[in-house]
Amino acid sequence: MNDWPEAWSDDNRGSRYGRGSSSAQPESARVMRQVRRGQAAPPGQGGYGGPGAPAPPYGGVPQQPSYVNGGDDTVYDDGYNSGYNTGQVYGGGGPGGPVGGGRGPRPAPNWRRRIKLTTVIVLTVLVVTTVGTYFWADSKLNREVDLSKVIDRPDAGEGTNYLIVGSDSRAGMSAEEKKKLHTGSAEGKRTDSMMILHVGSNGDTLISLPRDSDVEIPTFKGSESGKTYQGTGRHVKLNAAYAEDGPELLVRTVEFNTGLHIDHYVEIGFAGFANIVDSVGGVEIDIPKGGMKDTKSGADFEAGKQTLDGEQALAFVRTRYALKGSDLDRTKNQQKFLNALANQVATPSTILNPFKLYPTMGSGLDSLIVDKDMGLYDLASMFWAMKGVNGGDGTSMNMPTSGSTSSGNLIWDKTKLKTLVDELKNDEKVTVRAADG
């Protein structure tokens, strides 16, 4: 039986490789008839194997679409599956992807919801920070003065009265710091400056009390012993009351000699004052013509505007021997400096900068000694009142005086003093002015 294709004979084989041929020449590729799967193409449309159609290239495998420059859009629908990947990515979700196989378009962002959420987060952070700062600051206050120990006190009037004291306390200072700040090494502590600040609804008033003021020491109860000491009519300088029995006796003496009720007590020492000034980067002061030089305080300033650091600021507010009016002129310089310091602390560069605000608050609060009933609200009220007074929104003055004693103590003008105290008690606008102010 002839097993060769139709119309082939053994003679057609020739000398070829294989089937026992002795020729080493390999058998050439045979063209196999295309086997069509599926329905045949209609006549005349050039299907594979149809009349007039050329044999498909690539050994009978249909040509795949080209992917160069976008590829050939020809679609072969003859049922032939070559197994070639056409490049289609399934699950894409774009146009032309399998139905249900992809994600829909991303929804537009809900900006109202995002803004609301951001606002809530920011407000929460602000509240937490504010509350945390409050408790941190409150914990730093040194509430050491007990005004309940003060006896025979005058009735409280309208508004709030603060007794603000600058002491020459050297507590915690090293020998090098004492030398640098020209404080000396005296034991104990005395008052270098004293002021009454009245905060009311008809304008705030800051009254400087010269340390050399002549006052009577009244009957008082010892702050440590609790023993009552009877008054003998003894007259001393005002700062001696502080040296004798501390803040409680000073408050008792001021109330007895003025008739004005003191609501709160605030004290700051040498080192604390210098630290506050340094924490705000110094304070600008305009030194009057002629300059200022005092070997005892360490002051040595040329005339004109200049920025004082902590050491220089302390020398400025303590200087009195180089001033014509001595203690009265010194109180004016102290008020002048407090005005400049308050304005410097209240600037946006300090308040809005946590790296400056917190060191400033820390320096100030650590060095303050206040009464047991003093709160942060009271302290803030005092600070803003001082800033306003020294900025021209209130009254700043020295205690009115009418002369001095043979020992040089300043005598308060009793008539003006009574009018001044009545106006403060009734929270009225102050009309009294000191002769030097």
Side-chain angles (χ1 to χ4, degrees):
M1 179 177 178
N2 190 347
D3 57 357
W4 297 103
E6 185 180 355
W8 280 42
S9 65
D10 290 342
D11 294 337
N12 295 116
R13 296 164 57 191
S15 299
R16 302 191 181 275
Y17 180 78
R19 291 194 179 271
S21 170
S22 60
S23 171
Q25 181 180 0
E27 182 179 4
S28 62
R30 289 178 288 179
V31 179
M32 299 298 291
R33 183 176 301 170
Q34 175 69 33
V35 179
R36 184 182 303 277
R37 296 180 177 87
Q39 184 179 358
Q45 292 190 11
Y48 297 143
Y58 310 104
V61 179
Q63 184 175 3
Q64 300 301 307
S66 170
Y67 296 101
V68 179
N69 298 326
D72 185 1
D73 293 335
T74 304
V75 178
Y76 296 98
D77 193 22
D78 58 359
Y80 178 78
N81 183 4
S82 66
Y84 283 39
N85 190 336
T86 62
Q88 175 67 46
V89 178
Y90 294 97
V99 177
R103 254 181 342 198
R106 178 179 296 178
N110 189 337
W111 289 110
R112 179 177 295 179
R113 183 174 180 274
R114 291 187 179 185
I115 292 174
K116 183 178 179 181
L117 181 61
T118 301
T119 302
V120 170
I121 292 174
V122 171
L123 290 177
T124 301
V125 171
L126 286 175
V127 170
V128 171
T129 302
T130 301
V131 172
T133 299
Y134 176 87
F135 284 105
W136 167 79
D138 188 71
S139 68
K140 284 185 166 294
L141 284 177
N142 300 309
R143 297 181 173 93
E144 300 178 6
V145 179
D146 188 357
L147 295 183
S148 67
K149 296 179 180 179
V150 180
I151 62 175
D152 300 332
R153 309 189 68 185
D155 295 335
E158 300 293 328
T160 304
N161 299 313
Y162 299 83
L163 180 59
I164 304 170
V165 175
S167 77
D168 64 359
S169 172
R170 300 158 179 84
M173 296 176 64
S174 65
E176 182 179 351
E177 288 173 327
K178 292 176 183 178
K179 181 178 179 181
K180 178 182 178 182
L181 297 176
H182 300 272
T183 64
S185 299
E187 295 297 326
K189 58 181 182 178
R190 286 151 292 277
T191 53
D192 249 33
S193 61
M194 290 160 284
M195 303 178 187
I196 294 175
L197 173 66
H198 174 82
V199 179
S201 57
N202 286 299
D204 304 322
T205 304
L206 183 65
I207 307 164
S208 289
L209 309 177
R211 56 179 273 172
D212 294 340
S213 297
D214 186 76
V215 294
E216 180 183 340
I217 297 294
T219 299
F220 70 96
K221 180 184 290 187
S223 58
E224 296 295 333
S225 66
K227 180 181 177 181
T228 300
Y229 298 88
Q230 294 295 327
T232 60
R234 175 168 52 102
H235 280 244
V236 297
K237 292 182 179 180
L238 180 59
N239 66 335
Y242 181 93
E244 187 171 330
D245 197 47
E248 288 84 1
L249 178 55
L250 177 62
V251 171
R252 168 73 175 127
T253 302
V254 169
E255 289 186 341
F256 176 81
N257 284 269
T258 63
L260 186 68
H261 181 89
I262 300 299
D263 298 290
H264 292 295
Y265 177 91
V266 181
E267 177 187 326
I268 186 169
F270 282 164
F273 180 83
N275 288 339
I276 292 175
V277 174
D278 285 334
S279 67
V280 297
V283 175
E284 186 178 74
I285 284 291
D286 189 1
I287 304 297
K289 184 178 180 180
M292 182 185 295
K293 189 168 185 177
D294 184 355
T295 56
K296 291 191 175 183
S297 69
D300 188 4
F301 308 120
E302 299 292 335
K305 288 185 178 181
Q306 50 198 285
T307 299
L308 308 185
D309 60 20
E311 177 186 348
Q312 295 168 324
L314 186 59
F316 177 79
V317 298
R318 294 183 62 217
T319 295
R320 67 170 176 160
Y321 293 105
L323 304 176
K324 183 179 180 180
S326 187
D327 205 34
L328 290 176
D329 282 349
R330 178 167 72 163
T331 58
K332 293 179 183 179
N333 281 342
Q334 290 169 349
Q335 292 184 355
K336 178 180 179 180
F337 188 86
L338 287 176
N339 173 32
L341 176 60
N343 284 320
Q344 177 68 24
V345 172
T347 58
S349 63
T350 299
I351 295 178
L352 300 180
N353 183 356
F355 298 102
K356 183 178 282 189
L357 175 63
Y358 283 94
T360 301
M361 290 180 62
S363 297
L365 296 173
D366 279 340
S367 56
L368 289 180
I369 295 175
V370 300
D371 65 89
K372 293 184 180 297
D373 295 327
M374 186 80 158
L376 285 178
Y377 175 82
D378 302 307
L379 192 62
S381 176
M382 182 198 78
F383 173 80
W384 289 111
M386 289 185 66
K387 180 179 181 300
V389 167
N390 289 303
D393 294 334
T395 301
S396 179
M397 59 183 289
N398 277 331
M399 178 64 79
T401 59
S402 59
S404 59
T405 66
S406 58
S407 59
N409 295 354
L410 295 171
I411 301 173
W412 292 349
D413 187 318
K414 293 184 179 180
T415 302
K416 288 185 177 181
L417 174 61
K418 185 178 184 309
T419 302
L420 173 63
V421 171
D422 287 343
E423 290 174 340
L424 293 178
K425 279 187 173 183
N426 296 319
D427 198 18
E428 298 172 350
K429 187 173 180 61
V430 172
T431 60
V432 175
R433 292 291 181 272
D436 53 26

